């Protein structure tokens, strides 16, 4: 059967940023573009996922190969790019590969930063948007919910998201391990620099108290303090500032250490031995390394933090291996479920075959039936349809009664053999009709 | 019946300990549900065992070393489960659960003589007051020692810049120090009540409050150690590593007073002595 799931998209691995930035599905906040994709012939359900590093269209369609091609053209048209270029940089995944892909994306195994937590929220948002746009049917709905479940399992059962993988974030994590809750802690920035500002930005999110900034040139300190809505201090006030600050980020351009171990030792007494976390980002170093030997003082320089980050990355890679196992497990479960859907084609084929017999017999006897008037002809139609419906009823309910997936397959095979249904291939359009028929029958 | 519950509890605690330890060695997730659930179940059985035993003996079950150690273990697990309501690291569980197992098994091998009549002098309402306060104090000190150990470990890892799995599993230094900061006055208060109630009991039973038997002497030494600790923390502002080391040393004294003294010396706290109650009167 050539109907099923397809993922068409591009990400940071397949496409350079020049291409990615063009394919972003703008103005899809209400799912209008998803509806546009859905209008492509052969597409039954659709959802669009677009983040900074990926743009993907997930469709349930039939037949897959042909529709995928049409969807690529639709994507190209929507974003105004050349379809040939788009095809060059995009991937098309089908069937269980597509399921695996969706699960891996939701679990952040396909992310640029392995294990980053935002992606799951983005997938959920896309799902919600397209749900309310009405482009998601039972198949994709189930797929997405299983993807969320898989992501949750990966997060709970592996440590993929635990370790910080940027220097700034690693510093914040470490600060929490030393000082606990950072809300009531104070930060002192010494000197300015890109890395120091980045670290400070991460810390500001956690710290409630104003940040102090000091610099050799007071004007620069004022400027930076303005940016962080903090307080600017003169270098002469440094020891007073040290006595108050719990976290110190230092990144001056000085050739000699700005802070000596002795200074810290003296400051600790005034601090009543409250612990202190010193982050020395400067090269050459601003803080004498001996400061780390003082009780309650924890000094990390840029190399230390870099080592932490690279160790953490390695750890995430190891955890990703475990996560892949979880994904495989969930993909198998999902594919088992899709197999139970295979009943539908058998039912459709059965109905089609009976209908074909009925029409065939009527047209064979057409000559003898020519005397009938329209009214009688209508009655004949009703009677014959009723007969085939009654014949079909028992085998169909026999099929539907079976609960286990394996039995379903066997029974479906039996029905196909008894009624000789092979060769009655069905399209998705008819499949939908069967579901509608059933709804009618129930009424 | 109580013995069955006791045995089930021990087995569950063992399962829990193994779970915690295996978890710490292998898994990468941050919580250990199996270990926690078996600990909870074990605690429930343990509670039933203690309740049944108090009904059976018609008295709060604190008269034999078996009971005392069992209640001790029960208190430690109880404190752990309470702490878990907020946020307890599995490392904590991995230390607490085996500790309870050891205490219970030691108690069970020392004595399990439910049939033997309780020494008459122990038939007093002073018994539950004296023993439960002393035990509760000990449990708090035990937890403080564990937390102190974790502090020293975590502190070392951060200083040496080894931020691996152990570092991530251990709570923050601030939290660990906070537990000891809060625990110290509570434990000290409980211990003081334990000693004072013991003296009052001795006063009502034997006519004198303090007789310098080894247990009394050593508990006074321990009391002074903790008093010094309170002073250092409150007045001198000791914290962190120094406070953690003191918590561990203090608990060493507690253990010696609690178990060592009973084994090494004899006195009227040694209730295996048949002439108990007569010597002192």
């Amino acid at each position: 059967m050539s109907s099923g799931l397809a993922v068409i998209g591009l990400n940071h691995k397949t496409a350079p940023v020049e291409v990615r930035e063009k394919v972003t599905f703008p103005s899809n906040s209400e799912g209008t573009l998803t509806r546009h994709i859905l209008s492509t012939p052969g597409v039954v359900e659709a959802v669009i996922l677009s983040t900074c590093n990926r743009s993907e269209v997930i469709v349930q369609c039939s037949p897959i190969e042909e529709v995928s091609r049409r969807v690529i053209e639709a994507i190209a048209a929507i974003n105004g790019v050349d379809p040939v270029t788009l095809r060059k940089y995009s991937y098309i995944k089908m069937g269980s590969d597509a399921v695996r892909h969706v699960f891996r994306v939701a679990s952040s195994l396909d992310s640029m930063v392995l294990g980053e937590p935002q992606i799951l929220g983005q997938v959920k948002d896309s799902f919600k948007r397209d749900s309310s746009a009405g482009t998601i049917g039972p198949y994709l709905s189930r797929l997405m919910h299983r993807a969320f479940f898989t992501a949750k399992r990966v997060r709970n059962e592996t440590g993929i998201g635990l370790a910080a993988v940027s220097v700034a974030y690693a510093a914040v994590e470490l600060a929490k391990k030393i000082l606990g809750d950072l809300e009531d802690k104070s930060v002192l920035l010494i000197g300015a620099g890109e890395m120091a500002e980045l670290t400070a930005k991460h810390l500001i999110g956690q710290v409630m108290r104003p940040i102090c900034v000091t610099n050799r040139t007071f004007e620069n300190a004022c400027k930076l303090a303005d940016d962080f809505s903090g307080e600017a201090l003169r270098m002469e006030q440094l020891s007073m500032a040290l006595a108050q600050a719990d976290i110190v980020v230092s990144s001056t351009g000085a050739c000699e250490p700005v802070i000596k171990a002795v200074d810290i030792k003296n400051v600790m007494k005034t601090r009543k031995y409250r612990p202190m976390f010193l982050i020395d980002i400067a090269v050459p170093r601003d803080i004498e390394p001996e400061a780390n030997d003082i009780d309650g003082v924890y000094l990390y320089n840029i190399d230390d933090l870099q080592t932490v980050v690279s160790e953490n990355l390695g750890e995430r890679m190891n955890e990703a291996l475990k996560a892949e196992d979880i994904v495989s497990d969930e993909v198998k479960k999902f594919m088992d479920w899709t197999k139970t859907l295979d009943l539908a084609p058998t039912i459709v084929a059965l109905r089609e075959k009976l209908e074909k017999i009925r029409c065939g017999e009527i047209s064979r006897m057409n000559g003898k039936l020519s005397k009938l008037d329209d009214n009688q002809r209508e009655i004949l139609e009703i009677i014959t349809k009723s007969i085939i419906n009654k014949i079909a009823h028992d085998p169909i309910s026999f099929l539907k009664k079976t609960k286990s997936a394996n039995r379903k397959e066997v029974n479906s095979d039996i029905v196909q053999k008894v009624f000789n249904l092979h060769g009655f291939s069905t399209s998705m359009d008819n499949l939908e009709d069967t579901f509608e028929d059933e709804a009618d029958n129930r009424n | 019946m109580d013995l069955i519950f006791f045995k089930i509890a021990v087995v569950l605690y063992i399962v829990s300990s193994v779970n915690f330890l295996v978890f710490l060695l292998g898994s990468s997730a941050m919580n250990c549900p199996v270990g926690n659930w078996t600990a909870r179940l074990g605690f429930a059985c343990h509670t039933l065992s203690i309740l049944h035993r108090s009904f059976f003996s018609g008295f709060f079950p604190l008269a034999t070393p078996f009971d005392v150690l069992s209640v001790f273990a029960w208190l430690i697990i109880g404190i752990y489960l309470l702490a878990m309501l907020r946020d307890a690291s599995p490392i904590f569980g991995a230390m607490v659960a085996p500790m309870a197992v050891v205490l219970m098994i030691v108690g069970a091998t020392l004595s399990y003589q439910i049939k033997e009549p309780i020494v008459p002098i122990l038939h007093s309402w002073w018994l539950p007051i004296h023993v439960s306060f002393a035990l509760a104090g000990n449990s708090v000190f035990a937890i403080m020692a564990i937390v102190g150990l974790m502090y020293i470990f975590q502190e070392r890892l951060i200083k040496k810049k080894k931020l691996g799995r152990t570092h991530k599993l251990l709570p923050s230094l601030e939290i660990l120090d906070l537990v000891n900061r809060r625990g110290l006055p509570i434990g000290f208060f409980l211990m003081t009540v334990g000693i004072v109630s013991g003296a009052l009991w001795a006063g009502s039973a034997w006519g004198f409050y303090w007789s310098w038997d080894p247990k009394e002497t050593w508990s006074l030494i321990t009391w002074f150690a903790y008093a010094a600790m309170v002073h250092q923390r409150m007045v001198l502002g000791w914290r962190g590593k120094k406070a953690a080391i003191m918590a561990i040393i203090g608990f060493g004294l507690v253990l010696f007073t609690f178990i060592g003294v009973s084994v090494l010396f004899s006195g009227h706290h040694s209730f295996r002595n048949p002439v108990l109650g007569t010597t002192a009167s």
Side-chain angles (χ1 to χ4, degrees):
Chain A
M1 201 174 69
S2 62
S3 82
L5 188 71
V7 177
I8 301 111
L10 42 84
N11 63 15
H12 55 281
K13 283 175 198 154
T14 65
V17 65
E18 299 84 51
V19 179
R20 288 203 314 267
E21 69 190 3
K22 279 184 197 143
V23 188
T24 53
F25 295 95
S27 68
N28 192 24
S29 55
E30 270 148 32
T32 38
L33 296 179
T34 324
R35 272 206 288 272
H36 184 77
I37 295 281
L38 191 70
S39 66
T40 313
V43 174
V44 184
E45 299 173 35
V47 58
I48 294 180
L49 172 65
S50 178
T51 71
C52 24
N53 288 324
R54 72 178 61 246
S55 286
E56 289 184 349
V57 175
I58 305 162
V59 287
Q60 152 78 345
C61 60
S62 165
I64 301 184
E65 288 84 359
E66 207 186 313
V67 176
S68 305
R69 232 169 297 137
R70 274 186 239 141
V71 171
I72 286 201
E73 273 154 27
I75 297 172
I78 288 171
N79 294 290
V81 289
D82 176 31
V84 181
T85 327
L86 183 64
R87 194 167 308 164
K88 194 174 135 198
Y89 288 112
S90 58
Y91 42 83
I92 302 178
K93 292 175 194 277
M94 297 174 205
S96 65
D97 284 348
V99 176
R100 178 180 301 274
H101 180 79
V102 173
F103 286 6
R104 288 186 76 239
V105 167
S107 310
S108 195
L109 291 172
D110 200 43
S111 299
M112 199 171 196
V113 179
L114 190 65
E116 53 95 4
Q118 282 89 8
I119 184 71
L120 180 59
Q122 289 162 337
V123 175
K124 278 185 176 164
D125 289 344
S126 304
F127 173 69
K128 269 183 216 143
R129 180 199 62 216
D130 291 340
S131 274
S132 44
T135 64
I136 291 179
Y139 189 92
L140 280 190
S141 174
R142 173 136 183 142
L143 177 80
M144 297 310 264
H145 279 117
R146 294 314 291 181
F148 304 153
F149 179 75
T150 309
K152 200 177 147 201
R153 267 192 74 189
V154 166
R155 204 138 282 269
N156 286 346
E157 293 173 31
T158 75
I160 193 152
L162 289 181
V165 285
S166 76
V167 167
Y169 192 56
V172 173
E173 289 288 289
L174 193 53
K176 281 186 190 163
K177 277 292 184 190
I178 295 168
L179 303 166
D181 198 1
L182 296 185
E183 252 180 36
D184 57 343
K185 303 295 185 291
S186 51
V187 179
L188 169 66
L189 270 178
I190 305 173
E194 202 186 328
M195 199 57 130
E197 284 175 46
L198 194 68
T199 314
K201 261 181 204 141
H202 268 79
L203 284 166
I204 281 172
Q206 319 273 341
V207 180
M208 298 300 250
R209 285 183 28 190
I211 288 190
C212 292
V213 185
T214 174
N215 202 353
R216 200 158 292 281
T217 37
F218 187 62
E219 286 69 38
N220 287 350
C222 291
K223 226 175 99 214
L224 199 58
D226 272 357
D227 289 352
F228 294 127
S229 57
E231 190 188 340
L233 300 171
R234 295 184 184 276
M235 266 317 216
E236 293 75 50
Q237 296 167 290
L238 182 62
S239 59
M240 183 211 76
L242 282 176
Q244 283 166 11
D246 301 299
I247 304 167
V248 178
V249 182
S250 185
S251 64
T252 73
C255 305
E256 293 285 306
V258 179
I259 302 171
K260 302 239 169 16
V262 193
D263 302 339
I264 299 285
K265 201 158 195 169
N266 294 333
V267 156
M268 281 312 274
K269 263 180 224 151
T270 2
R271 294 176 57 82
K272 294 204 174 119
Y273 303 101
R274 270 184 300 124
M276 218 180 175
F277 180 31
L278 310 177
I279 306 164
D280 186 356
I281 295 176
V283 180
R285 286 171 292 181
D286 276 346
I287 305 170
E288 275 186 354
E290 288 77 24
N292 193 41
D293 301 333
I294 301 166
D295 194 21
V297 177
Y298 306 91
L299 168 64
Y300 275 68
N301 64 35
I302 185 70
D303 283 1
D304 298 330
L305 290 173
Q306 219 98 41
T307 315
V308 170
V309 164
S310 61
E311 278 170 6
N312 286 352
L313 256 181
E315 200 177 307
R316 280 197 180 195
M317 304 247 188
N318 284 338
E319 293 305 310
L321 294 179
K322 286 186 216 165
E324 296 286 358
D325 289 345
I326 294 174
V327 168
S328 297
D329 187 33
E330 292 297 328
V331 168
K332 194 181 162 295
K333 279 192 215 160
F334 186 80
M335 294 319 284
D336 282 349
W337 174 76
T338 56
K339 269 183 207 144
T340 65
L341 287 180
D342 292 349
L343 282 185
T346 309
I347 294 169
V348 173
L350 177 64
R351 285 234 171 92
E352 270 184 2
K353 172 148 191 180
L354 292 176
E355 177 68 14
K356 204 178 166 194
I357 294 170
R358 187 184 74 89
C359 293
E361 289 306 301
I362 288 177
S363 60
R364 206 160 60 86
M365 294 295 164
N366 225 357
K368 287 175 187 170
L369 297 174
S370 58
K371 282 170 211 149
L372 300 179
D373 61 29
D374 281 357
N375 203 8
Q376 285 165 321
R377 202 164 248 290
E378 203 182 314
I379 290 170
L380 179 72
E381 288 283 318
I382 291 171
I383 292 172
T384 48
K385 271 189 180 163
S386 170
I387 290 171
I388 65 159
N389 273 344
K390 288 207 163 126
I391 293 171
H393 178 265
D394 283 333
I396 288 175
S397 53
F398 163 72
L399 281 178
K400 285 188 176 170
K401 248 186 346 211
T402 35
K403 290 278 182 285
S404 90
N406 283 342
R407 273 317 293 171
K408 265 187 182 156
E409 230 174 299
V410 173
N411 289 353
S412 152
D413 197 47
I414 291 172
V415 171
Q416 287 191 16
K417 275 184 185 143
V418 168
F419 288 92
N420 192 20
L421 296 179
H422 296 287
F424 275 82
S425 71
T426 56
S427 66
M428 276 320 259
D429 296 344
N430 291 339
L431 220 152
E432 268 203 291
D433 289 345
T434 15
F435 287 128
E436 276 163 28
D437 282 354
E438 281 157 32
D440 291 345
N441 289 348
R442 254 176 266 136
N443 296 337
Chain B
M1 270 303 274
D2 59 315
L3 196 58
I4 291 172
F5 283 131
F6 182 85
K7 279 176 182 162
I8 296 173
V10 171
V11 169
L12 282 169
Y13 288 156
I14 291 174
V15 172
S16 177
S17 312
V18 171
N19 250 301
F20 278 127
L21 291 172
V22 168
F23 170 84
L24 288 182
L25 291 177
S27 162
S28 49
M30 282 311 271
N31 54 359
C32 179
V34 186
N36 282 333
W37 275 110
T38 41
R40 278 187 202 127
L41 270 175
F43 186 71
C45 290
H46 200 169
T47 312
L48 284 176
S49 148
I50 289 171
L51 281 178
H52 186 274
R53 223 167 136 78
S54 34
F55 280 122
F56 186 77
S57 63
F59 217 77
F60 204 69
L62 290 168
T64 63
F66 167 81
D67 286 317
V68 168
L69 287 171
S70 164
V71 171
F72 191 14
W74 182 78
L75 281 168
I76 291 173
I77 293 279
I79 293 175
Y80 168 70
L81 291 178
L82 261 181
M84 211 173 58
L85 289 178
R86 300 196 53 177
D87 171 41
S89 164
I91 287 195
F92 199 23
M95 288 178 152
V96 166
M99 197 162 164
V101 171
V102 169
L103 285 172
M104 287 164 88
I105 290 177
V106 166
T109 46
L110 272 182
S111 71
Y112 183 76
Q113 301 147 326
I114 192 71
K115 295 267 154 45
E116 196 176 277
I118 293 167
V119 194
I121 194 161
L122 294 179
H123 257 298
S124 155
W125 277 108
W126 284 113
L127 171 73
I129 295 170
H130 169 60
V131 181
S132 55
F133 271 96
L135 270 186
N138 286 356
S139 316
V140 173
F141 292 146
I143 298 284
M144 278 172 60
I146 290 177
V147 169
L149 212 64
M150 284 159 78
Y151 185 98
I152 289 170
F153 221 66
Q154 177 73 303
E155 209 261 350
R156 239 186 107 74
L157 288 173
I158 295 178
K159 282 265 188 197
K160 300 265 172 211
K161 294 164 179 142
K162 294 208 166 71
L163 310 184
R165 218 175 97 75
T166 330
H167 160 77
K168 291 194 181 74
L169 279 168
L170 282 166
S172 70
L173 290 177
E174 170 64 20
I175 293 281
L176 293 171
D177 195 44
L178 186 77
V179 170
N180 272 1
R181 201 151 64 224
R182 297 259 166 89
L184 185 55
I186 299 173
F188 187 65
F189 167 77
L190 292 169
M191 187 194 195
T192 311
V193 174
I195 291 177
V196 170
S197 65
L200 291 175
W201 182 13
S204 75
W206 299 316
F208 46 86
Y209 295 101
W210 199 266
S211 53
W212 295 107
D213 91 324
K215 193 79 137 196
E216 287 168 5
T217 311
W218 278 98
S219 55
L220 196 66
I221 292 170
T222 314
W223 186 86
F224 272 113
Y226 277 96
M229 222 181 279
V230 171
H231 174 263
Q232 303 293 73
R233 242 203 203 276
M234 304 290 161
V235 181
L236 296 184
W238 276 26
R239 58 194 296 150
K241 202 159 96 180
K242 280 179 193 160
I245 292 171
M246 286 198 308
I248 294 166
I249 293 173
F251 186 63
L253 278 172
V254 167
L255 272 186
F256 183 73
T257 311
F258 188 54
I259 297 169
V261 169
S262 311
V263 176
L264 292 180
F265 307 104
S266 69
H268 62 226
H269 267 94
S270 160
F271 296 117
R272 272 168 294 173
N273 186 349
V275 289
L276 177 96
T278 52
T279 45
S281 54

